[in-house]
């Protein structure tokens, strides 16, 4: 199944950056952006949305899966 | 699924610093191979005899530039306020530069991860919005 991962960046006038990772499950989204955050500068804060522990479920999945990874998204 | 991160940008990478300087209309002086620094003379009109000299790793003109600080691991900007002749204040110059630097680092980093830029806009408030996408 085709699946898109998106990262939305807002680069403010003073050069500081906010990023939002959309469509990555488990710890994938953290590993996706960890390198970038290290290169850019200093991570000030990271906020996870409410479905923090839930992995992506496909249309065919009838059972929702949960991760127990502390780095989930 | 998402997370939301806020990052304070620090200028750490020379190639992206050079690109960013060019994007804001500067012509940085890149030391040629084998030459690690350039000499820079900062003159104070009131004390011209002093001619304090600074070495920088990237020069802009003859009286400002960037010097690598090994302790903070960032490029620090060195300039003389009294000879600053650009049409914007130093603080705004650094903001514009940092914004373009962040943009260059993001472009470089997402391409390494197999993403492509889907949208990129400069908004009315001078923020840049950039969306990168990767299809699995």
């Amino acid at each position: 199944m085709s699946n898109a991962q998106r990262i939305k960046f807002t680069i403010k006038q003073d050069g500081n950056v906010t990023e939002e990772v959309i469509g990555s499950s488990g710890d994938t989204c953290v590993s996706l952006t960890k390198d970038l955050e290290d290169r850019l500068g200093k991570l000030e804060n990271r906020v996870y949305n409410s479905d923090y522990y839930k992995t992506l479920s496909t249309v065919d999945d009838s059972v929702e899966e949960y991760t127990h990874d502390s780095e989930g998204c | 699924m998402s997370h939301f991160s806020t990052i304070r940008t620090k200028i750490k990478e020379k190639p992206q610093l050079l690109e960013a300087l060019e994007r804001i209309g500067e012509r940085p002086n890149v030391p040629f191979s084998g030459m690690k620094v350039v000499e820079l003379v900062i003159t104070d009109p009131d004390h011209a005899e002093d001619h304090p000299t600074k070495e920088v790793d990237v020069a802009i003109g003859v009286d400002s530039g960037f010097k690598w600080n090994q302790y903070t691991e960032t490029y620090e900007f060195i300039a003389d306020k009294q000879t600053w002749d650009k049409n914007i204040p130093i603080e705004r110059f650094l903001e514009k530069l940092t914004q373009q630097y962040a943009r260059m680092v993001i472009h470089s980093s997402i391409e390494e991860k197999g993403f492509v830029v889907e949208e990129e806009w400069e908004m009315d408030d001078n923020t840049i919005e950039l969306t990168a996408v990767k299809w699995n």
Side-chain angles (χ1 to χ4, degrees):
Chain A
M1 180 180 169
S2 181
N3 183 25
Q5 295 177 324
R6 277 190 173 78
I7 311 176
K8 182 181 176 186
F9 298 96
T10 302
I11 312 169
K12 295 177 189 164
Q13 190 177 224
D14 64 3
N16 293 325
V17 175
T18 58
E19 60 170 7
E20 186 176 7
V21 178
I22 305 157
S24 292
S25 59
D27 61 359
T28 312
C29 70
V30 174
S31 64
L32 263 179
T33 54
K34 176 83 172 65
D35 290 347
L36 173 62
E37 288 158 6
D38 289 343
R39 283 182 67 179
L40 263 184
K42 183 168 177 279
L43 178 67
E44 298 237 299
N45 60 64
R46 176 177 286 149
V47 179
Y48 298 95
N49 70 357
S50 57
D51 48 4
Y52 176 66
Y53 291 108
K54 202 166 78 175
T55 60
L56 276 177
S57 58
T58 65
V59 175
D60 300 328
D61 280 345
S62 56
V63 180
E64 286 188 338
E65 292 179 1
Y66 293 83
T67 70
H68 299 285
D69 189 325
S70 61
E71 289 190 315
C73 293
Chain B
M1 309 290 151
S2 69
H3 73 239
F4 191 82
S5 304
T6 306
I7 305 154
R8 183 172 294 278
T9 303
K10 294 178 184 296
I11 295 178
K12 300 193 278 191
E13 299 184 18
K14 191 190 273 186
Q16 281 70 33
L17 168 60
L18 293 171
E19 282 183 88
L21 282 166
E22 285 169 7
R23 285 209 159 257
I24 62 169
E26 298 298 332
R27 299 183 66 182
N29 178 10
V30 185
F32 53 81
S33 179
M35 181 180 172
K36 291 188 176 170
V37 294
V38 294
E39 288 286 316
L40 172 72
V41 176
I42 299 179
T43 54
D44 177 344
D46 296 331
H47 302 281
E49 70 280 6
D50 291 345
H51 283 280
T53 304
K54 298 280 184 187
E55 290 181 342
V56 294
D57 298 290
V58 174
I60 311 165
V62 295
D63 60 358
S64 59
F66 289 83
K67 183 173 176 56
W68 177 252
N69 182 325
Q70 61 179 315
Y71 301 107
T72 59
E73 296 191 324
T74 58
Y75 282 97
E76 291 180 343
F77 188 56
I78 297 171
D80 186 339
K81 278 195 172 181
Q82 296 184 70
T83 57
W84 183 258
D85 59 357
K86 299 189 193 304
N87 57 6
I88 54 172
I90 291 176
E91 293 74 17
R92 181 68 194 121
F93 171 83
L94 287 174
E95 284 185 347
K96 283 178 73 173
L97 176 71
T98 307
Q99 187 186 38
Q100 289 302 321
Y101 172 83
R103 186 169 161 240
M104 293 299 106
V105 172
I106 289 168
H107 272 261
S108 163
S109 190
I110 60 177
E111 282 163 20
E112 282 177 12
K113 297 273 183 190
F115 282 76
V116 293
V117 175
E118 187 175 51
E119 282 185 331
E120 187 168 2
W121 301 97
E122 182 158 347
M123 314 304 282
D124 290 340
D125 63 356
N126 291 328
T127 61
I128 297 170
E129 291 202 350
L130 189 158
T131 305
V133 66
K134 182 180 183 180
W135 295 94
N136 294 323

